[in-house]
Amino acid sequence: MKALIIAAGKGDRLGLTDKPKSLVQLLGLSLIERVILTAKQAGINEFIVVVGYLGDKIRAELGNGERYGVKIDYIENEEWQRENGVSVLKAKELLKEKFILLMTDHLFEARILNDLKKIKVNGCVLCVDKVPKEYIDLEDATKVKVENDKVVEIGKRLEEYNAIDCGIFLLSPIIFDALEESIEKGDELLSDGIRILAKKGEVRAFDIKDSFWIDIDTRDSFRKAEKMLCDRLIKPTDGPVSKLLNRPISIRISKFLVKTELKPSSISFISFILATLAAFFFCLGNYLSIVIGGLLTQFSSIVDGCDGEVARLKFQESEYGAWFDAVLDRYADALIIFGMVYGHWALYNNALIWVIGFITLIGCFMNSYTADRYEAAFRRGKIRAGVRRDVRLFLIMIGALFNQIFYTLIFLALLTNIESMRRLIILKDNKI
Amino acid sequence: MKALIIAAGKGDRLGLTDKPKSLVQLLGLSLIERVILTAKQAGINEFIVVVGYLGDKIRAELGNGERYGVKIDYIENEEWQRENGVSVLKAKELLKEKFILLMTDHLFEARILNDLKKIKVNGCVLCVDKVPKEYIDLEDATKVKVENDKVVEIGKRLEEYNAIDCGIFLLSPIIFDALEESIEKGDELLSDGIRILAKKGEVRAFDIKDSFWIDIDTRDSFRKAEKMLCDRLIKPTDGPVSKLLNRPISIRISKFLVKTELKPSSISFISFILATLAAFFFCLGNYLSIVIGGLLTQFSSIVDGCDGEVARLKFQESEYGAWFDAVLDRYADALIIFGMVYGHWALYNNALIWVIGFITLIGCFMNSYTADRYEAAFRRGKIRAGVRRDVRLFLIMIGALFNQIFYTLIFLALLTNIESMRRLIILKDNKI
């Protein structure tokens, strides 16, 4: 299925002078790049972009879409100062089958399109938000009245409404006739065309429920979009230290990193280098070095969150990236434990620390191994983990600050091995 | 879809006196249990079993099928001494839709049924083997002549044929009319009924290609079936030591274990205990102990193959079992390395061995981790491994026999860590 993207407008309210709204950068990607890459996640690979105001800049930026792994064609709308219905109508000759219609300034979650694509109806479908999120600017939104899943009325000034137009459509070519009819009457908005079809009962409403979407019209909504995208980086599986300490910091760092060319796998590597440095300082064994080692350990743990965040924000997630990050994390864990053991042994020459270090290393590895092997074996969901890496590394920092390497290792050895035993037992009972 | 199983015959040629052929034990399960559990793997959960000779024993043994997680109904054929077409006809009133027909003495691979179930035709389908395997008794087989995927002739005495009847059918109820017609004429074989349909062009031939099947009629074919089932336990991913040394021994052990009530997870645990004992002997440090430790290590590695073999032979494979085995293997590896290091250190008091042990432990863990994490991340296939556990444990045994714990650990440290690096690199390039 093809997607038509309307990117002809100027976007006055964002206060732009030198570029079209489509090219406004939001967390390392332009708005239109975000729309295209989101649609690509939902399996859409062919796009027709209607350009107008500074259209050449958009063409120069996106090209034929090759570098995004998609195909992009362009339609020029020289009458871009007219309303958006005119832009949609320009695509009439190119779209003879069902297509997706998107707005360059409406960001959304891929699952909306995934669901929308699956709907089997003859007419048109409009995505609506029945319980508008608090970040939606209601005053500026296009309102919709829905009855029995059908759109019965649509417009900005609607007094009686029960949903908001999300600017995401599944359309059949009948929309073009409707637009011609409404434009002839002087009503040039896309919603004027939709209204004509709605009166005929041809427009179904699809409730996006709690999926994310936002219309970026003003500086305020721009900031809200940025915040929303960042908030969505927090994973429900994040451990307590990650949630309270690491994420707030790592997201700030990622907001900077997305503007650079740094790849997620390079960030994974930086986190690994930080851990290696931490291990080196632990090896030195004196209190100052141990404190530095502890702080570097925690910093490495924080940066370890950035690779995934940048990957998600820039649509660069990959299976290799996830694997590479996990493998480096295991080496980092091992190096840090080795450093702690070696530094302590060099100072006190107590061989017992090696035995404890061995047990700690086994425990830490097994915590990661049991969780990841679980995913390989069960191919669904994640293990219910009691202790994760965020907690382990945080404990190492705390232990280092108090100069208690010996007891930190003993505590970690117990904690991690007990956690592994717990997993062997709960999984055996649940058989899940 | 339901399956009809013909289990009425006596099975004279196996020389049985006290039980019907269906209940002959083959590698821990009776023939009919194997047929039912194979069909269950292909998603068939309802069975109708036609019993005759000593049918009560079959009923008593299988019950209503609950303990296999299926539903089993029975039909009594008191005329079991007549040919098998009579047994099939007994099911006429119970089968009004398409069904699978199986023979209690024909073993086969689940994927044949998986494919057969998917064939959309109106008439009947007969599974045939176009290039009969060397273990098939051609003289006794029912021959089939196939032209353009249609069965045109069938019979034991056929002179001109190009396929063998595998005794696996997808039938529609028209078979019952055909059987009535042929039995009336005195031809009581199932193939006599099939022949009538074949003449009308109603029987399609489905080539099972290289899938496994065997008809167990004689003691000789019984032994061949046993060998085939065992040979299929060798995995294409088995490492060299596993292929040449471990499997030949572990399969012999498994052939004994399937006759016991031991569960696969108990066998995993026994292998773990053997590794723990090996670690204990390594800890003692003297040469004799080290030799015992090395031999126990190799023995543990061999027994580690039995859990999967017994699980496959007895249809007891489970996700938890695979996970449990993998987790215990990691603990076993760690304990063995710890034992080697501790024993050497206790004797020579050289702390360097701890550093080497740490690196070895990391390398061994990372070999397992990179492979299993690969499965979790990529969700398809396995990593191309250069060195696996079979080789690592074999090297430990060899090193122990030569009393070279120190150099064995150094060699393992290098081998395993280089292997991990290799994986990081090949995966990065291939992006697979």
Side-chain angles (χ1 to χ4, degrees):
Chain A
M1 200 179 282
K2 292 183 183 180
L4 179 67
I5 302 179
I6 306 304
K10 191 174 173 190
D12 281 329
R13 282 187 290 170
L14 281 171
L16 302 168
T17 52
D18 61 335
K19 58 181 165 190
K21 192 176 182 182
S22 298
L23 297 185
V24 170
Q25 293 286 312
L26 177 67
L27 294 169
L29 291 174
S30 66
L31 294 185
I32 194 164
E33 281 178 316
R34 292 203 163 273
V35 171
I36 288 170
L37 290 169
T38 306
K40 189 188 167 200
Q41 278 186 332
I44 293 167
N45 296 304
E46 284 187 61
F47 296 87
I48 298 170
V49 179
V50 184
V51 293
Y53 175 69
L54 294 182
D56 290 344
K57 288 203 176 184
I58 297 176
R59 284 176 201 250
E61 181 72 22
L62 302 183
N64 61 5
E66 207 178 326
R67 71 190 174 101
Y68 307 104
V70 300
K71 186 168 170 286
I72 304 179
D73 290 313
Y74 298 90
I75 300 177
E76 188 79 36
N77 175 15
E78 286 166 9
E79 308 168 280
W80 57 264
Q81 276 164 314
R82 292 170 69 185
E83 296 290 356
N84 61 355
V86 178
S87 284
V88 176
L89 189 53
K90 295 282 177 191
K92 181 178 179 181
E93 294 310 313
L94 286 175
L95 290 166
K96 302 295 183 189
E97 285 176 9
K98 287 205 156 204
F99 63 98
I100 298 284
L101 174 63
L102 303 169
M103 306 295 138
T104 194
D105 54 0
H106 282 58
L107 301 185
F108 56 92
E109 221 172 308
R111 69 167 161 165
I112 297 178
L113 279 196
N114 263 328
D115 294 344
L116 184 63
K117 275 172 66 190
K118 282 182 211 141
I119 297 178
K120 300 254 174 286
V121 281
N122 279 324
C124 297
V125 185
L126 165 60
C127 290
V128 299
D129 194 352
K130 286 197 171 178
V131 192
K133 287 82 181 169
E134 79 285 359
Y135 54 82
I136 301 296
D137 180 359
L138 276 185
E139 192 165 330
D140 197 49
T142 301
K143 286 87 175 171
V144 183
K145 188 173 173 191
V146 179
E147 278 174 12
N148 301 324
D149 280 347
K150 294 266 183 191
V151 173
V152 294
E153 189 49 272
I154 180 169
K156 277 210 177 186
R157 309 272 155 265
L158 222 58
E159 298 214 341
E160 208 184 306
Y161 64 91
N162 54 10
I164 298 297
D165 168 1
C166 304
I168 304 166
F169 306 78
L170 174 65
L171 296 178
S172 85
I174 58 169
I175 184 66
F176 298 120
D177 300 330
L179 281 170
E180 275 172 350
E181 188 185 327
S182 74
I183 291 172
E184 207 152 283
K185 282 189 274 175
D187 298 329
E188 299 190 342
L189 284 165
L190 170 59
S191 26
D192 296 324
I194 295 288
R195 188 179 307 112
I196 288 174
L197 293 177
K199 298 285 180 207
K200 295 180 189 162
E202 298 273 20
V203 185
R204 197 172 137 183
F206 169 67
D207 186 1
I208 64 159
K209 306 237 166 80
D210 58 350
S211 291
F212 161 75
W213 74 283
I214 191 164
D215 172 8
I216 300 180
D217 266 333
T218 61
R219 280 161 183 278
D220 183 49
S221 54
F222 179 88
R223 275 187 298 269
K224 280 179 184 160
E226 196 176 60
K227 183 175 181 312
M228 284 304 299
L229 290 178
C230 287
D231 286 352
R232 292 178 57 232
L233 295 173
I234 299 164
K235 290 184 188 173
T237 51
D238 277 350
V241 176
S242 179
K243 207 170 281 173
L244 298 170
L245 175 67
N246 297 5
R247 282 282 181 216
I249 304 174
S250 66
I251 288 175
R252 278 197 178 82
I253 300 173
S254 292
K255 274 164 97 168
F256 164 75
L257 290 175
V258 288
K259 290 172 193 158
T260 71
E261 294 290 307
L262 265 189
K263 282 182 187 150
S265 59
S266 308
I267 302 170
S268 305
F269 197 71
I270 292 171
S271 166
F272 172 71
I273 295 296
L274 289 168
T276 310
L277 278 175
F280 170 76
F281 278 98
F282 278 133
C283 278
L284 298 179
N286 65 68
Y287 182 42
L288 180 63
S289 302
I290 287 175
V291 168
I292 296 174
L295 293 173
L296 280 170
T297 299
Q298 183 59 35
F299 188 46
S300 167
S301 175
I302 290 168
V303 174
D304 186 43
C306 294
D307 47 10
E309 290 165 11
V310 169
R312 272 174 284 159
L313 285 176
K314 293 181 89 170
F315 298 85
Q316 294 175 331
E317 287 176 281
S318 76
E319 292 164 338
Y320 177 77
W323 182 85
F324 182 73
D325 180 36
V327 171
L328 286 189
D329 283 354
R330 297 298 80 71
Y331 270 111
D333 289 351
L335 284 172
I336 289 169
I337 292 168
F338 177 82
M340 293 166 75
V341 172
Y342 185 85
H344 193 269
W345 174 78
L347 208 64
Y348 301 100
N349 207 11
N350 175 5
L352 179 63
I353 195 75
W354 286 106
V355 178
I356 295 166
F358 243 80
I359 299 172
T360 311
L361 184 60
I362 293 170
C364 285
F365 257 126
M366 289 313 288
N367 277 194
S368 307
Y369 185 81
T370 48
D372 289 335
R373 189 63 178 73
Y374 177 87
E375 276 185 65
F378 295 81
R379 310 227 153 203
R380 56 175 186 273
K382 301 204 178 269
I383 206 165
R384 266 190 308 146
V387 184
R388 288 179 188 280
R389 188 169 194 252
D390 61 327
V391 174
R392 296 198 301 264
L393 296 183
F394 182 72
L395 288 174
I396 289 176
M397 179 190 68
I398 297 296
L401 293 181
F402 286 98
N403 200 14
Q404 297 298 333
I405 293 297
F406 187 84
Y407 290 107
T408 303
L409 283 171
I410 288 186
F411 185 67
L412 275 179
L414 288 173
L415 188 71
T416 53
N417 284 290
I418 289 170
E419 168 73 8
S420 292
M421 294 300 145
R422 187 187 72 84
R423 291 177 187 184
L424 276 169
I425 292 161
I426 58 160
L427 282 181
K428 184 155 184 69
D429 292 346
N430 296 346
K431 297 271 178 196
I432 46 158
Chain B
M1 200 180 282
K2 291 184 184 179
L4 178 67
I5 302 179
I6 305 304
K10 191 173 173 190
D12 281 326
R13 283 186 291 166
L14 281 171
L16 304 166
T17 51
D18 60 333
K19 56 181 163 187
K21 194 173 178 182
S22 299
L23 296 185
V24 170
Q25 294 285 312
L26 177 65
L27 294 168
L29 291 174
S30 66
L31 295 185
I32 195 164
E33 282 177 316
R34 294 203 163 270
V35 170
I36 288 170
L37 291 167
T38 306
K40 189 188 169 200
Q41 278 187 331
I44 293 167
N45 296 305
E46 284 187 61
F47 295 85
I48 298 171
V49 178
V50 184
V51 293
Y53 175 68
L54 295 183
D56 290 345
K57 289 203 174 181
I58 298 177
R59 285 176 199 248
E61 181 72 23
L62 303 182
N64 60 5
E66 209 178 325
R67 72 190 172 102
Y68 307 103
V70 299
K71 185 168 169 287
I72 303 177
D73 289 312
Y74 298 89
I75 300 177
E76 188 80 34
N77 174 14
E78 288 167 8
E79 307 166 281
W80 56 265
Q81 276 164 311
R82 292 171 68 185
E83 296 291 353
N84 61 355
V86 177
S87 284
V88 176
L89 189 54
K90 297 282 176 191
K92 182 177 178 180
E93 293 312 311
L94 286 175
L95 289 165
K96 302 296 183 188
E97 286 176 10
K98 287 202 159 210
F99 63 97
I100 298 282
L101 173 62
L102 302 169
M103 306 295 136
T104 194
D105 52 2
H106 283 58
L107 301 186
F108 55 93
E109 223 172 308
R111 68 167 162 166
I112 297 178
L113 278 196
N114 264 326
D115 295 343
L116 185 64
K117 274 171 66 189
K118 282 181 210 142
I119 297 177
K120 299 256 176 285
V121 282
N122 278 323
C124 296
V125 185
L126 164 61
C127 290
V128 299
D129 194 351
K130 286 197 173 176
V131 193
K133 287 83 183 170
E134 79 284 359
Y135 54 80
I136 301 295
D137 178 0
L138 278 183
E139 192 167 331
D140 197 50
T142 301
K143 287 88 176 173
V144 184
K145 188 172 171 191
V146 179
E147 277 174 14
N148 301 321
D149 281 349
K150 293 270 182 187
V151 173
V152 294
E153 189 47 270
I154 182 169
K156 277 210 176 181
R157 308 271 154 266
L158 222 56
E159 297 213 343
E160 208 183 310
Y161 63 91
N162 53 9
I164 298 296
D165 166 2
C166 304
I168 304 166
F169 306 77
L170 174 65
L171 296 177
S172 86
I174 58 168
I175 184 66
F176 298 120
D177 300 329
L179 280 171
E180 276 172 350
E181 190 185 325
S182 74
I183 290 171
E184 207 154 286
K185 282 190 273 172
D187 299 328
E188 298 191 344
L189 285 164
L190 170 59
S191 24
D192 297 324
I194 295 287
R195 189 178 306 115
I196 288 174
L197 295 177
K199 298 284 180 205
K200 296 180 189 161
E202 297 272 22
V203 185
R204 200 172 135 183
F206 170 66
D207 186 2
I208 63 159
K209 304 235 168 78
D210 58 351
S211 291
F212 161 75
W213 76 281
I214 192 165
D215 172 8
I216 299 181
D217 265 333
T218 60
R219 278 162 185 273
D220 183 50
S221 55
F222 180 88
R223 275 186 300 268
K224 280 177 183 161
E226 195 177 60
K227 183 174 182 317
M228 286 303 300
L229 290 177
C230 286
D231 286 352
R232 292 176 60 232
L233 296 173
I234 299 164
K235 290 185 188 172
T237 52
D238 276 349
V241 175
S242 179
K243 207 169 283 175
L244 296 170
L245 176 67
N246 297 4
R247 282 282 181 219
I249 304 173
S250 67
I251 288 176
R252 278 200 180 81
I253 299 174
S254 292
K255 274 164 97 169
F256 164 74
L257 290 174
V258 287
K259 290 172 194 161
T260 70
E261 293 290 307
L262 265 188
K263 284 184 188 149
S265 59
S266 308
I267 301 171
S268 305
F269 197 71
I270 291 172
S271 166
F272 173 72
I273 294 297
L274 287 168
T276 310
L277 277 176
F280 170 77
F281 278 99
F282 279 133
C283 279
L284 298 180
N286 65 70
Y287 181 42
L288 179 64
S289 302
I290 287 175
V291 169
I292 295 173
L295 293 173
L296 280 171
T297 300
Q298 184 57 36
F299 188 46
S300 165
S301 175
I302 290 169
V303 174
D304 186 41
C306 295
D307 46 11
E309 291 165 10
V310 169
R312 272 174 285 158
L313 285 176
K314 293 180 89 170
F315 298 85
Q316 294 177 330
E317 288 178 279
S318 77
E319 293 164 336
Y320 177 77
W323 181 86
F324 181 73
D325 180 35
V327 170
L328 286 190
D329 283 353
R330 299 296 81 69
Y331 269 111
D333 290 351
L335 285 173
I336 289 170
I337 293 168
F338 177 82
M340 292 166 76
V341 171
Y342 184 86
H344 192 270
W345 175 79
L347 207 63
Y348 302 100
N349 207 11
N350 175 6
L352 178 62
I353 195 74
W354 285 107
V355 178
I356 296 166
F358 243 79
I359 300 173
T360 312
L361 184 60
I362 293 169
C364 285
F365 256 128
M366 289 313 285
N367 277 196
S368 308
Y369 186 79
T370 49
D372 289 335
R373 187 66 175 73
Y374 177 87
E375 276 186 66
F378 295 81
R379 310 226 154 204
R380 57 176 185 276
K382 300 209 176 264
I383 206 166
R384 265 189 309 142
V387 184
R388 291 179 186 281
R389 187 168 194 253
D390 61 327
V391 174
R392 297 197 301 266
L393 296 184
F394 182 72
L395 288 172
I396 290 176
M397 178 189 67
I398 297 295
L401 294 183
F402 287 96
N403 201 14
Q404 296 298 333
I405 293 298
F406 187 81
Y407 291 107
T408 302
L409 283 171
I410 289 187
F411 185 68
L412 274 180
L414 289 173
L415 188 74
T416 52
N417 284 289
I418 290 172
E419 168 73 8
S420 293
M421 293 302 147
R422 188 187 72 84
R423 291 178 186 183
L424 276 169
I425 292 162
I426 58 159
L427 281 181
K428 184 156 184 67
D429 293 345
N430 297 346
K431 299 271 181 201
I432 48 155

